[in-house]
């Protein structure tokens, strides 16, 4: 499959790394190598090539990861307010 928006994929993969963050800035690297290489080239993660099963997010990568996670998967403020009243 070659006809897809790699920029969007990179953004969503970086966002999904939020779900596997551990040790503050490491995430499991269970994504394809081409995407991980692009994230590395953009300066969002450290070099993913190695024996470790996780990858280190850079400071810029951590910030962008949190931001795009909220953008793609966050609950809108008004919905969050409704949820908090139910509990």
């Amino acid at each position: 499959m070659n006809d897809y928006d790699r920029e969007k994929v990179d953004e969503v993969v970086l966002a999904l790394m939020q779900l596997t963050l551990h040790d503050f800035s490491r995430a499991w690297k269970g994504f394809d190598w081409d995407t991980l290489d692009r994230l590395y080239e953009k300066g969002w993660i450290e070099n993913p090539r190695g024996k470790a099963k996780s990858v280190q997010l850079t400071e810029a990568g951590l910030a962008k990861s949190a931001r795009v996670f909220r953008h793609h998967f966050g609950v809108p403020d008004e919905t969050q307010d409704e949820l908090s009243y139910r509990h």
Side-chain angles (χ1 to χ4, degrees), residues 11-32:
E11 186 174 280
V12 170
V13 166
L14 188 67
L16 289 173
M17 286 183 170
Q18 282 288 306
L19 296 174
T20 65
L21 276 181
H22 61 281
D23 297 334
F24 181 67
S25 61
R26 295 193 70 80
W28 299 114
K29 60 180 182 183
F31 298 99
D32 75 285

PDB file of all heavy atoms in Angstrom, residues 11-32:
ATOM      1  N   GLU A  11       1.906  11.312  12.439  1.00  0.00           N
ATOM      2  CA  GLU A  11       1.267  12.035  13.537  1.00  0.00           C
ATOM      3  C   GLU A  11       0.462  11.087  14.429  1.00  0.00           C
ATOM      4  O   GLU A  11       0.544  11.146  15.649  1.00  0.00           O
ATOM      5  CB  GLU A  11       0.369  13.132  12.965  1.00  0.00           C
ATOM      6  CG  GLU A  11      -0.218  14.033  14.020  1.00  0.00           C
ATOM      7  CD  GLU A  11      -0.971  15.190  13.417  1.00  0.00           C
ATOM      8  OE1 GLU A  11      -0.317  16.177  13.007  1.00  0.00           O
ATOM      9  OE2 GLU A  11      -2.218  15.106  13.359  1.00  0.00           O
ATOM     10  N   VAL A  12      -0.300  10.196  13.815  1.00  0.00           N
ATOM     11  CA  VAL A  12      -1.128   9.284  14.601  1.00  0.00           C
ATOM     12  C   VAL A  12      -0.266   8.256  15.337  1.00  0.00           C
ATOM     13  O   VAL A  12      -0.535   7.937  16.500  1.00  0.00           O
ATOM     14  CB  VAL A  12      -2.199   8.607  13.714  1.00  0.00           C
ATOM     15  CG1 VAL A  12      -2.900   7.483  14.449  1.00  0.00           C
ATOM     16  CG2 VAL A  12      -3.210   9.647  13.249  1.00  0.00           C
ATOM     17  N   VAL A  13       0.782   7.750  14.710  1.00  0.00           N
ATOM     18  CA  VAL A  13       1.682   6.819  15.393  1.00  0.00           C
ATOM     19  C   VAL A  13       2.319   7.502  16.597  1.00  0.00           C
ATOM     20  O   VAL A  13       2.374   6.936  17.693  1.00  0.00           O
ATOM     21  CB  VAL A  13       2.755   6.255  14.435  1.00  0.00           C
ATOM     22  CG1 VAL A  13       3.878   5.562  15.197  1.00  0.00           C
ATOM     23  CG2 VAL A  13       2.113   5.278  13.453  1.00  0.00           C
ATOM     24  N   LEU A  14       2.787   8.720  16.417  1.00  0.00           N
ATOM     25  CA  LEU A  14       3.371   9.456  17.536  1.00  0.00           C
ATOM     26  C   LEU A  14       2.330   9.652  18.638  1.00  0.00           C
ATOM     27  O   LEU A  14       2.634   9.492  19.822  1.00  0.00           O
ATOM     28  CB  LEU A  14       3.915  10.806  17.061  1.00  0.00           C
ATOM     29  CG  LEU A  14       4.726  11.576  18.096  1.00  0.00           C
ATOM     30  CD1 LEU A  14       6.036  10.839  18.419  1.00  0.00           C
ATOM     31  CD2 LEU A  14       5.026  12.977  17.600  1.00  0.00           C
ATOM     32  N   ALA A  15       1.093   9.956  18.272  1.00  0.00           N
ATOM     33  CA  ALA A  15       0.023  10.100  19.259  1.00  0.00           C
ATOM     34  C   ALA A  15      -0.222   8.787  19.993  1.00  0.00           C
ATOM     35  O   ALA A  15      -0.361   8.769  21.218  1.00  0.00           O
ATOM     36  CB  ALA A  15      -1.260  10.574  18.578  1.00  0.00           C
ATOM     37  N   LEU A  16      -0.256   7.677  19.270  1.00  0.00           N
ATOM     38  CA  LEU A  16      -0.508   6.383  19.893  1.00  0.00           C
ATOM     39  C   LEU A  16       0.615   5.964  20.845  1.00  0.00           C
ATOM     40  O   LEU A  16       0.386   5.182  21.765  1.00  0.00           O
ATOM     41  CB  LEU A  16      -0.729   5.310  18.829  1.00  0.00           C
ATOM     42  CG  LEU A  16      -2.049   5.428  18.077  1.00  0.00           C
ATOM     43  CD1 LEU A  16      -2.086   4.424  16.928  1.00  0.00           C
ATOM     44  CD2 LEU A  16      -3.229   5.237  19.009  1.00  0.00           C
ATOM     45  N   MET A  17       1.800   6.506  20.651  1.00  0.00           N
ATOM     46  CA  MET A  17       2.894   6.198  21.575  1.00  0.00           C
ATOM     47  C   MET A  17       2.569   6.666  22.991  1.00  0.00           C
ATOM     48  O   MET A  17       3.105   6.141  23.958  1.00  0.00           O
ATOM     49  CB  MET A  17       4.203   6.796  21.073  1.00  0.00           C
ATOM     50  CG  MET A  17       4.782   6.051  19.909  1.00  0.00           C
ATOM     51  SD  MET A  17       6.374   6.748  19.412  1.00  0.00           S
ATOM     52  CE  MET A  17       6.922   5.492  18.267  1.00  0.00           C
ATOM     53  N   GLN A  18       1.638   7.629  23.117  1.00  0.00           N
ATOM     54  CA  GLN A  18       1.196   8.071  24.440  1.00  0.00           C
ATOM     55  C   GLN A  18       0.626   6.904  25.250  1.00  0.00           C
ATOM     56  O   GLN A  18       0.763   6.857  26.466  1.00  0.00           O
ATOM     57  CB  GLN A  18       0.114   9.150  24.318  1.00  0.00           C
ATOM     58  CG  GLN A  18       0.618  10.514  23.987  1.00  0.00           C
ATOM     59  CD  GLN A  18       1.337  11.137  25.169  1.00  0.00           C
ATOM     60  OE1 GLN A  18       0.812  11.239  26.267  1.00  0.00           O
ATOM     61  NE2 GLN A  18       2.567  11.548  24.923  1.00  0.00           N
ATOM     62  N   LEU A  19      -0.003   5.960  24.568  1.00  0.00           N
ATOM     63  CA  LEU A  19      -0.640   4.836  25.258  1.00  0.00           C
ATOM     64  C   LEU A  19       0.360   3.853  25.848  1.00  0.00           C
ATOM     65  O   LEU A  19       0.006   3.094  26.747  1.00  0.00           O
ATOM     66  CB  LEU A  19      -1.575   4.091  24.295  1.00  0.00           C
ATOM     67  CG  LEU A  19      -2.756   4.888  23.771  1.00  0.00           C
ATOM     68  CD1 LEU A  19      -3.509   4.080  22.733  1.00  0.00           C
ATOM     69  CD2 LEU A  19      -3.675   5.285  24.915  1.00  0.00           C
ATOM     70  N   THR A  20       1.578   3.843  25.345  1.00  0.00           N
ATOM     71  CA  THR A  20       2.568   2.875  25.842  1.00  0.00           C
ATOM     72  C   THR A  20       3.744   3.548  26.531  1.00  0.00           C
ATOM     73  O   THR A  20       4.771   2.904  26.743  1.00  0.00           O
ATOM     74  CB  THR A  20       3.081   1.976  24.695  1.00  0.00           C
ATOM     75  OG1 THR A  20       3.787   2.770  23.743  1.00  0.00           O
ATOM     76  CG2 THR A  20       1.944   1.239  24.017  1.00  0.00           C
ATOM     77  N   LEU A  21       3.599   4.824  26.884  1.00  0.00           N
ATOM     78  CA  LEU A  21       4.698   5.521  27.562  1.00  0.00           C
ATOM     79  C   LEU A  21       5.014   4.853  28.892  1.00  0.00           C
ATOM     80  O   LEU A  21       4.117   4.488  29.650  1.00  0.00           O
ATOM     81  CB  LEU A  21       4.336   6.983  27.823  1.00  0.00           C
ATOM     82  CG  LEU A  21       4.554   7.972  26.695  1.00  0.00           C
ATOM     83  CD1 LEU A  21       4.148   9.370  27.154  1.00  0.00           C
ATOM     84  CD2 LEU A  21       5.975   7.973  26.199  1.00  0.00           C
ATOM     85  N   HIS A  22       6.290   4.697  29.151  1.00  0.00           N
ATOM     86  CA  HIS A  22       6.770   4.206  30.438  1.00  0.00           C
ATOM     87  C   HIS A  22       8.116   4.860  30.704  1.00  0.00           C
ATOM     88  O   HIS A  22       8.736   5.414  29.796  1.00  0.00           O
ATOM     89  CB  HIS A  22       6.863   2.674  30.451  1.00  0.00           C
ATOM     90  CG  HIS A  22       7.804   2.116  29.434  1.00  0.00           C
ATOM     91  ND1 HIS A  22       7.474   1.990  28.104  1.00  0.00           N
ATOM     92  CD2 HIS A  22       9.069   1.658  29.554  1.00  0.00           C
ATOM     93  CE1 HIS A  22       8.503   1.460  27.456  1.00  0.00           C
ATOM     94  NE2 HIS A  22       9.489   1.264  28.301  1.00  0.00           N
ATOM     95  N   ASP A  23       8.553   4.822  31.931  1.00  0.00           N
ATOM     96  CA  ASP A  23       9.811   5.490  32.303  1.00  0.00           C
ATOM     97  C   ASP A  23       9.836   6.923  31.782  1.00  0.00           C
ATOM     98  O   ASP A  23      10.849   7.398  31.281  1.00  0.00           O
ATOM     99  CB  ASP A  23      11.026   4.711  31.806  1.00  0.00           C
ATOM    100  CG  ASP A  23      11.133   3.334  32.432  1.00  0.00           C
ATOM    101  OD1 ASP A  23      10.615   3.156  33.555  1.00  0.00           O
ATOM    102  OD2 ASP A  23      11.724   2.442  31.806  1.00  0.00           O
ATOM    103  N   PHE A  24       8.705   7.576  31.853  1.00  0.00           N
ATOM    104  CA  PHE A  24       8.470   8.966  31.469  1.00  0.00           C
ATOM    105  C   PHE A  24       8.522   9.225  29.959  1.00  0.00           C
ATOM    106  O   PHE A  24       7.673   9.908  29.428  1.00  0.00           O
ATOM    107  CB  PHE A  24       9.409   9.939  32.186  1.00  0.00           C
ATOM    108  CG  PHE A  24       9.157  11.368  31.826  1.00  0.00           C
ATOM    109  CD1 PHE A  24       7.980  12.004  32.203  1.00  0.00           C
ATOM    110  CD2 PHE A  24      10.065  12.077  31.067  1.00  0.00           C
ATOM    111  CE1 PHE A  24       7.733  13.324  31.840  1.00  0.00           C
ATOM    112  CE2 PHE A  24       9.821  13.393  30.705  1.00  0.00           C
ATOM    113  CZ  PHE A  24       8.654  14.013  31.105  1.00  0.00           C
ATOM    114  N   SER A  25       9.510   8.714  29.253  1.00  0.00           N
ATOM    115  CA  SER A  25       9.648   9.120  27.849  1.00  0.00           C
ATOM    116  C   SER A  25      10.004   7.974  26.902  1.00  0.00           C
ATOM    117  O   SER A  25      10.526   8.199  25.825  1.00  0.00           O
ATOM    118  CB  SER A  25      10.717  10.210  27.732  1.00  0.00           C
ATOM    119  OG  SER A  25      11.967   9.719  28.179  1.00  0.00           O
ATOM    120  N   ARG A  26       9.698   6.752  27.301  1.00  0.00           N
ATOM    121  CA  ARG A  26       9.941   5.612  26.419  1.00  0.00           C
ATOM    122  C   ARG A  26       8.603   5.028  26.001  1.00  0.00           C
ATOM    123  O   ARG A  26       7.658   5.011  26.777  1.00  0.00           O
ATOM    124  CB  ARG A  26      10.792   4.547  27.103  1.00  0.00           C
ATOM    125  CG  ARG A  26      12.202   5.026  27.422  1.00  0.00           C
ATOM    126  CD  ARG A  26      13.130   3.890  27.796  1.00  0.00           C
ATOM    127  NE  ARG A  26      13.439   3.036  26.652  1.00  0.00           N
ATOM    128  CZ  ARG A  26      14.326   3.305  25.710  1.00  0.00           C
ATOM    129  NH1 ARG A  26      14.989   4.442  25.735  1.00  0.00           N
ATOM    130  NH2 ARG A  26      14.553   2.460  24.729  1.00  0.00           N
ATOM    131  N   ALA A  27       8.533   4.558  24.756  1.00  0.00           N
ATOM    132  CA  ALA A  27       7.309   3.947  24.238  1.00  0.00           C
ATOM    133  C   ALA A  27       7.679   2.686  23.485  1.00  0.00           C
ATOM    134  O   ALA A  27       8.761   2.595  22.898  1.00  0.00           O
ATOM    135  CB  ALA A  27       6.579   4.916  23.316  1.00  0.00           C
ATOM    136  N   TRP A  28       6.791   1.720  23.505  1.00  0.00           N
ATOM    137  CA  TRP A  28       7.036   0.485  22.760  1.00  0.00           C
ATOM    138  C   TRP A  28       7.090   0.805  21.275  1.00  0.00           C
ATOM    139  O   TRP A  28       6.325   1.618  20.777  1.00  0.00           O
ATOM    140  CB  TRP A  28       5.960  -0.550  23.056  1.00  0.00           C
ATOM    141  CG  TRP A  28       5.933  -0.909  24.502  1.00  0.00           C
ATOM    142  CD1 TRP A  28       4.928  -0.668  25.386  1.00  0.00           C
ATOM    143  CD2 TRP A  28       6.988  -1.526  25.252  1.00  0.00           C
ATOM    144  NE1 TRP A  28       5.292  -1.102  26.637  1.00  0.00           N
ATOM    145  CE2 TRP A  28       6.542  -1.630  26.585  1.00  0.00           C
ATOM    146  CE3 TRP A  28       8.265  -1.995  24.937  1.00  0.00           C
ATOM    147  CZ2 TRP A  28       7.327  -2.190  27.591  1.00  0.00           C
ATOM    148  CZ3 TRP A  28       9.041  -2.547  25.941  1.00  0.00           C
ATOM    149  CH2 TRP A  28       8.574  -2.642  27.237  1.00  0.00           C
ATOM    150  N   LYS A  29       7.999   0.160  20.599  1.00  0.00           N
ATOM    151  CA  LYS A  29       8.197   0.473  19.177  1.00  0.00           C
ATOM    152  C   LYS A  29       7.582  -0.578  18.269  1.00  0.00           C
ATOM    153  O   LYS A  29       8.213  -1.066  17.346  1.00  0.00           O
ATOM    154  CB  LYS A  29       9.678   0.710  18.857  1.00  0.00           C
ATOM    155  CG  LYS A  29      10.605  -0.443  19.142  1.00  0.00           C
ATOM    156  CD  LYS A  29      12.027  -0.059  18.777  1.00  0.00           C
ATOM    157  CE  LYS A  29      12.979  -1.204  19.004  1.00  0.00           C
ATOM    158  NZ  LYS A  29      14.345  -0.834  18.727  1.00  0.00           N
ATOM    159  N   GLY A  30       6.333  -0.890  18.490  1.00  0.00           N
ATOM    160  CA  GLY A  30       5.635  -1.901  17.709  1.00  0.00           C
ATOM    161  C   GLY A  30       5.022  -1.362  16.431  1.00  0.00           C
ATOM    162  O   GLY A  30       3.926  -1.757  16.067  1.00  0.00           O
ATOM    163  N   PHE A  31       5.705  -0.451  15.772  1.00  0.00           N
ATOM    164  CA  PHE A  31       5.216   0.119  14.517  1.00  0.00           C
ATOM    165  C   PHE A  31       6.216  -0.204  13.414  1.00  0.00           C
ATOM    166  O   PHE A  31       7.349  -0.571  13.681  1.00  0.00           O
ATOM    167  CB  PHE A  31       5.036   1.641  14.656  1.00  0.00           C
ATOM    168  CG  PHE A  31       4.017   2.009  15.701  1.00  0.00           C
ATOM    169  CD1 PHE A  31       4.411   2.396  16.975  1.00  0.00           C
ATOM    170  CD2 PHE A  31       2.662   1.943  15.421  1.00  0.00           C
ATOM    171  CE1 PHE A  31       3.479   2.719  17.944  1.00  0.00           C
ATOM    172  CE2 PHE A  31       1.716   2.271  16.384  1.00  0.00           C
ATOM    173  CZ  PHE A  31       2.131   2.651  17.647  1.00  0.00           C
ATOM    174  N   ASP A  32       5.802  -0.032  12.185  1.00  0.00           N
ATOM    175  CA  ASP A  32       6.688  -0.396  11.074  1.00  0.00           C
ATOM    176  C   ASP A  32       7.938   0.492  11.050  1.00  0.00           C
ATOM    177  O   ASP A  32       7.921   1.628  11.503  1.00  0.00           O
ATOM    178  CB  ASP A  32       5.932  -0.340   9.739  1.00  0.00           C
ATOM    179  CG  ASP A  32       5.694   1.070   9.276  1.00  0.00           C
ATOM    180  OD1 ASP A  32       4.819   1.745   9.843  1.00  0.00           O
ATOM    181  OD2 ASP A  32       6.399   1.496   8.356  1.00  0.00           O
TER     182      ASP A  32
END
